[in-house]
Amino acid sequence: MALWGKRKREEDAARLAKDDDLARRARAALVAADERIRTTSDELEFAVAELGESAARPVREGLEAVRTHLGEAFHLHQLNHDEIPDTAEELRTRNARIIQLCEWADDVLDERTSALKERIELARQSPQILERIRSDVERLRARLPLTRETVERLSGRYSTAALNRVAANPAEAEQLLEFALHSADISARRREARRPEEANVALETATEAVRRAETIIDGVEDFEIESLRAQSTLADVIADSRGDIVAARALTQPGLPHASEVTAAVAALEKALAALPAPGTPTDPFADLAVLREANAALDAAVDKARQRAARPLPSLEAVRHAVDAADHQTAVARSVIDGHRGYIGADARTRLAEAQRVRAEIEPLVIPEDTREQALLLARRVQQLANEALQAAQRDIDQGRYGGGDGWGGGWDDRRRPAGGDNMFGGIVGGLLLGGLIGDIFE
């Protein structure tokens, strides 16, 4: 008993310490949440002054929601300290709820204020940003003469279609730089007039205009480099295409698989090569490269197709016709047996016969075209297999009905428990039909 009492006292002490720690955490969380609300309220006033009411509205709405829920937390804390006695479980539940509400409040304020931090920082640094915008405008304006010279130089080397990508870049960049300065001036005036929302919009617009202008100016230099790279690649593709044409001619001989397709692809690639501008003529290397690559890829595909067919010869029309005839013969045998002895035949044999007939209907359009002849051969073999399976299933059904005492599948029965018109020689007949079909296939 003494040992049990000691253990219980230790457990009570541990539970009491845990409850005390929970209560301490609840008080600390309540103080921290209340202080966070006060700090955020001060930040909200600054945000309204710097950014305007609409930008600060999400924070204001978050603060209102947090104040409402924190009121519940203060009420729960008050219940913990009123004159009405509480159980340990009641205190534990309230303190856990207080911590939950305070953590939720902190998360809400973190989410709402973080969205404003970048914009507030932008507003605080607006004088420096405006100065940087004006400096960037001057720097980029100094690059414009060289950009115009580059476009002029490129116009003698590349076609109008190619140069259309960058011909208007200098003028567009100049307009954007003018617009950036105008927006920067508007931002400064709106901030002096204490119209922060308009000032920030104008500041962001000016920043974006400078960024776009620099991208457009850089685009002219990038075009010159990429054009040289395209010309170098074009030379490699031309050499590769000529080598491919020489190699492909061996596959254009009449009678070879897909010779007509290879011949057409060779002609298309030769046409693309012939259409290339003469050296020294203004050209569009990007368009020339795209056309040549497409024709080269088409020839590669035709050559691969021809080589694959050569490695796996196309079945002859006679072989396909023979397989189709054999499939038809086997289907006819199966159909004759099933139609003549319906009283014995179950679902398996009927299903395989129906599937054989369905597959057979798909074959005929595939026999003549070379591209589908191999598929026709596979389908014909599938039909023959299904017909054979239908015959085997039919024979099992008939044997089971005749010798196994089955009730049949709806046919008439005579006094000897055989279908009306039945024959003990039927197994031999089916065997003869199967054997006849196989012999016919061998000697046709």
Side-chain angles (χ1 to χ4, degrees):
M1 291 293 294
L3 181 63
W4 178 85
K6 179 180 179 182
R7 182 180 303 154
K8 186 175 184 304
R9 287 193 300 274
E10 290 176 349
E11 291 176 352
D12 290 342
R15 184 163 49 251
L16 183 61
K18 187 176 181 180
D19 289 344
D20 289 343
D21 180 67
L22 184 65
R24 179 188 59 75
R25 288 168 51 207
R27 291 192 298 271
L30 199 58
V31 172
D34 184 60
E35 190 62 27
R36 177 69 188 277
I37 289 177
R38 297 175 187 277
T39 302
T40 304
S41 298
D42 295 339
E43 293 176 352
L44 176 63
E45 297 307 317
F46 175 79
V48 171
E50 292 293 329
L51 304 176
E53 180 61 38
S54 62
R57 185 175 297 116
V59 177
R60 188 179 299 281
E61 293 173 350
L63 271 173
E64 292 173 357
V66 165
R67 285 193 179 103
T68 299
H69 285 77
L70 203 63
E72 178 188 348
F74 276 118
H75 177 65
L76 293 173
H77 188 66
Q78 176 62 35
L79 292 178
N80 287 344
H81 297 83
D82 59 14
E83 66 278 4
I84 301 175
D86 301 305
T87 65
E89 183 61 29
E90 288 175 333
L91 291 172
R92 194 177 301 121
T93 301
R94 289 176 191 153
N95 286 328
R97 176 60 176 167
I98 290 171
I99 293 173
Q100 181 186 36
L101 289 169
C102 291
E103 289 177 347
W104 174 85
D106 201 48
D107 290 342
V108 170
L109 294 180
D110 279 344
E111 178 187 356
R112 300 299 175 93
T113 56
S114 62
L116 282 183
K117 285 181 180 178
E118 184 176 346
R119 300 186 66 180
I120 291 175
E121 189 65 22
L122 180 68
R124 288 173 175 171
Q125 297 180 2
S126 60
Q128 296 91 329
I129 294 174
L130 288 173
E131 183 62 29
R132 186 170 67 247
I133 288 173
R134 294 187 175 95
S135 175
D136 288 342
V137 167
E138 294 304 315
R139 174 177 59 82
L140 294 173
R141 275 180 169 172
R143 292 179 57 187
L144 283 176
L146 180 60
T147 302
R148 293 190 181 94
E149 291 177 9
T150 302
V151 171
E152 183 65 24
R153 183 176 67 254
L154 294 175
S155 64
R157 183 184 305 167
Y158 302 111
S159 66
T160 302
L163 206 61
N164 279 340
R165 295 178 176 87
V166 296
N169 282 27
E172 291 178 5
E174 187 171 16
Q175 291 175 359
L176 283 169
L177 293 176
E178 290 288 345
F179 182 68
L181 283 180
H182 179 66
S183 299
D185 292 339
I186 290 176
S187 177
R189 290 197 298 270
R190 293 295 188 273
R191 195 165 298 280
E192 290 175 359
R194 298 195 176 278
R195 296 163 66 176
E197 293 184 36
E198 297 175 5
N200 289 327
V201 170
L203 185 64
E204 292 171 2
T205 301
T207 302
E208 177 63 16
V210 169
R211 187 196 66 78
R212 288 180 56 193
E214 185 164 19
T215 300
I216 288 174
I217 292 173
D218 290 341
V220 175
E221 297 177 1
D222 293 341
F223 175 83
E224 184 173 28
I225 295 172
E226 292 302 322
S227 298
L228 293 173
R229 185 174 296 154
Q231 285 182 299
S232 176
T233 304
L234 181 62
D236 293 338
V237 175
I238 290 172
D240 182 64
S241 297
R242 288 171 177 162
D244 289 345
I245 290 173
V246 172
R249 290 197 185 282
L251 301 174
T252 61
Q253 302 301 318
L256 292 179
H258 301 290
S260 59
E261 295 181 29
V262 177
T263 300
V266 167
L269 183 53
E270 288 177 334
K271 182 179 179 181
L273 288 170
L276 293 175
T281 304
T283 183
D284 185 346
F286 301 102
D288 294 341
L289 186 58
V291 171
L292 200 58
R293 273 178 168 164
E294 182 178 359
N296 190 277
L299 178 59
D300 288 343
V303 168
D304 288 343
K305 188 176 181 181
R307 287 174 176 165
Q308 289 175 8
R309 176 52 63 196
R312 190 180 60 192
L314 186 72
S316 67
L317 183 59
E318 292 75 13
V320 177
R321 284 295 187 193
H322 175 78
V324 172
D325 290 342
D328 288 342
H329 175 70
Q330 292 300 107
T331 304
V333 170
R335 183 168 55 247
S336 176
V337 171
I338 291 173
D339 288 348
H341 302 84
R342 293 193 300 272
Y344 287 109
I345 307 304
D348 289 348
R350 297 170 188 264
T351 298
R352 283 166 174 76
L353 177 61
E355 180 65 8
Q357 292 170 334
R358 185 193 68 78
V359 176
R360 175 62 181 87
E362 300 177 358
I363 295 177
E364 202 59 41
L366 307 176
V367 173
I368 303 300
E370 289 187 356
D371 289 344
T372 57
R373 195 176 294 166
E374 188 173 16
Q375 183 182 358
L377 180 62
L378 293 175
L379 290 177
R381 290 171 178 169
R382 176 61 177 161
V383 170
Q384 191 170 5
Q385 177 188 357
L386 289 166
N388 286 334
E389 291 176 358
L391 274 171
Q392 293 170 9
Q395 179 68 70
R396 286 195 301 270
D397 291 339
I398 294 166
D399 290 344
Q400 184 178 7
R402 179 181 296 112
Y403 302 115
D407 293 333
W409 295 91
W413 294 80
D414 62 12
D415 293 337
R416 291 169 295 175
R417 302 301 296 166
R418 293 182 300 172
D423 192 335
N424 286 333
M425 296 299 293
F426 182 74
I429 293 174
V430 173
L433 290 172
L434 285 169
L435 184 59
L438 294 175
I439 293 174
D441 288 344
I442 293 172
F443 290 102
E444 284 184 2

